Amino acid sequence: MVILHTFISEKKHQKLLDTYLDTFSDDFKNSVLRYKRWQDAQLSLLGRVLLQYGLRTYYDISDVVVDRLSNHKPFLKGQKLHFNISHSKNLVVCAIAEFPIGIDVEFKDTAVNYLDFQFQMTNNEFQKIHDSEDKTDGFFKYWTYKEAVIKAHGSGMMIPLESFEVIDDKCFLDGQIFFTKEIFIDHDYYSCIASDDEMIKSVKGIFEQVSLG
């Protein structure tokens, strides 16, 4: 497993577009250029750049096609590897693994009030966060765990967050068991990975901050 990350930069934006955009398909290029905010365009672009870099550097794969399953989850066509991309605020991460994987990162926004999200929690989850000494910390850990599971499952927003619970780094969803693991990427962000493969609990992985542009 390889987990790569980088940070967006307005100063480098045009150079990043000039350097990397033409290395992708016209469909992806157009999807990046449709964004009105430079932040959104760069987050989308750098997620794929990290994937490209990781496949080439750690798996000796230089040419790959990203396709989508019927549930719209992206996958690597013709490869046994799996990947997932997440971004929040100024951080972009890409996880590549030999097993299905979901990853989620969230910026530590102290302005977020966990009470605003109570309807998206089970009673047990809400009570656990409410009783915790640091409620912001408790909320974001809950959020990243559940988002990572949903991304590992692949059905996106079709699954309500309150419909399942993560207990002791494990949960049941649609008849499958998913395992979660909190990881560290940056002090200002919470992050978690998830998979239906129990290997995720023991694999250490390679972590790299990638300098681009």
Side-chain angles (χ1 to χ4, degrees):
M1 178 181 70
V2 176
I3 295 179
L4 310 167
H5 75 278
T6 193
F7 293 91
I8 61 172
S9 165
E10 184 174 12
K11 182 180 179 180
K12 296 180 179 179
H13 185 60
Q14 190 57 53
K15 183 179 180 182
L16 290 169
L17 291 178
D18 293 342
T19 301
Y20 297 109
L21 200 55
D22 283 338
T23 65
F24 297 101
S25 68
D26 288 341
D27 285 346
F28 182 71
K29 286 165 59 177
N30 291 333
S31 71
V32 170
L33 294 173
R34 275 197 291 268
Y35 286 110
K36 294 181 179 180
R37 298 190 333 134
W38 74 266
Q39 294 95 328
D40 298 324
Q42 197 175 130
L43 287 167
S44 178
L45 174 63
L46 295 190
R48 284 292 189 89
V49 172
L50 288 178
L51 174 63
Q52 200 177 57
Y53 170 86
L55 291 172
R56 183 178 65 250
T57 304
Y58 293 99
Y59 297 97
D60 197 27
I61 298 173
S62 57
D63 188 19
V64 70
V65 175
V66 176
D67 206 342
R68 291 186 179 271
L69 300 171
S70 58
N71 61 9
H72 303 296
K73 183 178 182 180
F75 73 99
L76 300 173
K77 195 171 184 179
Q79 301 290 337
K80 294 182 179 180
L81 293 170
H82 303 264
F83 80 96
N84 198 228
I85 294 168
S86 181
H87 52 75
S88 180
K89 190 73 172 178
N90 297 321
L91 175 68
V92 192
V93 298
C94 176
I96 307 171
E98 297 76 16
F99 46 82
I101 192 167
I103 187 167
D104 188 59
V105 293
E106 299 291 339
F107 174 68
K108 294 181 180 180
D109 187 350
T110 56
V112 169
N113 188 340
Y114 75 101
L115 294 172
D116 294 336
F117 298 87
Q118 184 176 353
F119 70 99
Q120 292 181 287
M121 307 176 193
T122 66
N123 291 334
N124 288 338
E125 288 166 342
F126 175 77
Q127 197 61 49
K128 184 176 181 180
I129 295 170
H130 186 69
D131 292 341
S132 61
E133 184 175 345
D134 187 334
K135 294 175 175 54
T136 299
D137 180 79
F139 168 75
F140 277 110
K141 285 183 178 179
Y142 141 82
W143 192 267
T144 54
Y145 271 55
K146 298 193 79 167
E147 285 289 337
V149 168
I150 286 178
K151 296 182 75 176
H153 181 277
S155 292
M157 298 305 293
M158 298 294 291
I159 302 173
L161 288 175
E162 73 276 12
S163 66
F164 66 97
E165 283 187 350
V166 178
I167 301 173
D168 296 328
D169 286 324
K170 184 170 65 175
C171 74
F172 295 88
L173 181 59
D174 280 354
Q176 287 180 274
I177 302 176
F178 287 87
F179 305 91
T180 59
K181 183 178 182 179
E182 185 178 4
I183 58 172
F184 174 79
I185 293 177
D186 184 86
H187 288 289
D188 292 327
Y189 294 82
Y190 293 88
S191 47
C192 179
I193 52 176
S195 179
D196 61 358
D197 191 321
E198 197 169 5
M199 183 184 296
I200 201 170
K201 294 168 60 178
S202 57
V203 65
K204 292 185 178 180
I206 298 170
F207 291 76
E208 181 185 350
Q209 179 175 348
V210 182
S211 297
L212 300 170

